[in-house]
Amino acid sequence: MAERVRPTVARVDLGALKTNYRAIVEYLARERPGGTPGVIAVVKANAYGHGAAQVARALEDAGADLLACADIEEGAGLRAAGVRAEILVFGALSVSDLDGLFDCRLTPTISSPGAARAVQAAAARYKQPLRYHLKIDTGMNRLGFRFDNLRRTLPEVLRSENLDLDAVFTHFATADDPASPLFDEQRRRFDRVLADVQALGARPRYRHAANSAAMLRDPRVWFDRVRPGLLLYGIVPPPVAPAIELTPVMTLASCVVAVKGMRPREVTGYGARFSAERPTTIAIVPAGYADGLDLRLAGRGAVLIRGRRAPIVGSVCMDMLMADVTGMDVSPGDEVVLIGRQGSDRIDAREMADTIGSIPWEIVCRVGSRIERVYA
Ligand SMILES: *Cc1c(COP(=O)(O)O)cnc(C)c1O
């Protein structure tokens, strides 16, 4: 039987992804010709919803030599897809099944004494040396060794017989908030951490700290590598201004499946929240909250049909939504763009996030598993 593709698809432009990767590399080289930092290409969460296998292989093609994912299972998936580059696992490992680190040649992040003991015990069992990245919590209070008592917590980790310290890193809580003083505080704490690590006799090969927003905000936190995620996918974290020319990688599109006339005072959708004030034409689009489209788009957001904005009305249902196309010449089969460009207009993940009070990371990650990713 021929493979079937639903009307709603996420088109993923791997050419744009590679161009974005190269644009980031060129930007770093231009801004810092001596000692240009390398890149850790972040492909966690199914490459921000774009499809981890295809994205990782394309990034490898474009020259990426270090990818990062969230957990061992994601790393195993990348290896199964044929990825050969080094893979860093960001997540906590203290309660994970660690065999995958060895079976799939993954580089762990060690972010607690307990994780260090577990990983050391596993490496001893495998009789293998293992390189790791040490994560320091400089103020986000999520994962990582506290910045202010490393002299107490680190010596035991550094003595782990099978573990080699490859890199030291931290993560910023407010890189995308220009008004927050915590960013500079974290930066200064990390500088002190690097001195402390040195004083404890450790010699990490490199240091890294910057996500997309931090990379665009402050070259002082570039260190030896930067860790862009969102930028790779062609989205600049709000409210940061784009300093690099990037192309959005994902387009979310569908087709009109039905067109319906409503008389004045008739309603559409669950809760009857939209009532026609005049003779109204509604286009039905087969994409709903099961596909990751937020309920709050109803009454706020729009889709592009025939090059124009059609407001989303009524309710976002599980499998469908309705758009007001009154006065437009719309027929079943017409293309509907939910995220992307049509004609001279464009709705991007940043705009959709803003419409519903969310963030663009969530918009792309939420694109549902029912939606086919079509690669070009
Ligand atoms: C997700 C993640 C990144 C990438 O963040 P973006 O804001 O998408 O660039 C970088 N570092 C760590 C530790 C992360 O978890």
Side-chain angles (χ1 to χ4, degrees), residues 201-226:
R203 298 289 176 267
R205 277 177 44 232
Y206 58 101
R207 312 151 295 164
H208 51 94
N211 59 4
S212 295
M215 180 191 127
L216 293 177
R217 174 177 178 150
D218 190 345
R220 283 175 299 181
V221 299
W222 288 1
F223 297 103
D224 307 304
R225 289 220 185 220
V226 294

Side-chain angles (χ1 to χ4, degrees), residues 101-313:
L101 291 178
F102 305 91
D103 299 342
C104 303
R105 291 182 299 105
L106 307 177
T107 304
T109 291
I110 290 186
S111 53
S112 71
R117 283 191 288 270
V119 175
Q120 162 58 33
R125 240 183 311 115
Y126 276 83
K127 299 188 171 53
Q128 277 181 28
L130 187 65
R131 297 195 307 191
Y132 69 99
H133 289 212
L134 180 71
K135 175 140 193 207
I136 309 295
D137 181 355
T138 50
M140 182 159 174
N141 282 304
R142 199 177 59 175
L143 289 182
F145 289 78
R146 275 196 70 98
F147 68 98
D148 54 2
N149 66 346
L150 293 173
R151 281 158 201 277
R152 218 163 53 79
T153 53
L154 268 198
E156 182 200 340
V157 180
L158 295 173
R159 279 196 304 272
S160 307
E161 214 165 297
N162 296 67
L163 303 186
D164 277 338
L165 176 61
D166 211 24
V168 177
F169 77 101
T170 192
H171 193 48
F172 292 105
T174 59
D176 55 359
D177 177 1
S180 164
L182 181 59
F183 178 80
D184 278 318
E185 186 65 44
Q186 285 195 269
R187 181 178 59 74
R188 284 191 295 267
R189 286 172 180 169
F190 191 54
D191 284 338
R192 286 202 296 277
V193 162
L194 295 171
D196 287 349
V197 167
Q198 183 96 6
L200 288 165
R203 298 289 176 267
R205 277 177 44 232
Y206 58 101
R207 312 151 295 164
H208 51 94
N211 59 4
S212 295
M215 180 191 127
L216 293 177
R217 174 177 178 150
D218 190 345
R220 283 175 299 181
V221 299
W222 288 1
F223 297 103
D224 307 304
R225 289 220 185 220
V226 294
R227 304 191 303 262
L230 200 65
L231 289 179
L232 293 173
Y233 307 99
I235 307 167
V236 176
V240 180
I244 311 174
E245 203 171 314
L246 301 169
T247 309
V249 172
M250 187 193 287
T251 297
L252 187 61
S254 187
C255 288
V256 173
V257 288
V259 179
K260 172 159 292 174
M262 286 169 64
R263 299 204 171 95
R265 289 181 305 283
E266 286 185 340
V267 299
T268 182
Y270 291 114
R273 277 191 287 270
F274 175 81
S275 141
E277 283 169 10
R278 49 180 179 152
T280 294
T281 312
I282 294 291
I284 318 299
V285 181
Y289 63 78
D291 303 300
L293 296 163
D294 197 281
L295 294 182
R296 290 164 290 183
L297 287 168
R300 297 191 183 89
V303 297
L304 301 175
I305 302 180
R306 299 214 154 217
R308 284 172 55 187
R309 282 182 180 239
I312 299 171
V313 294

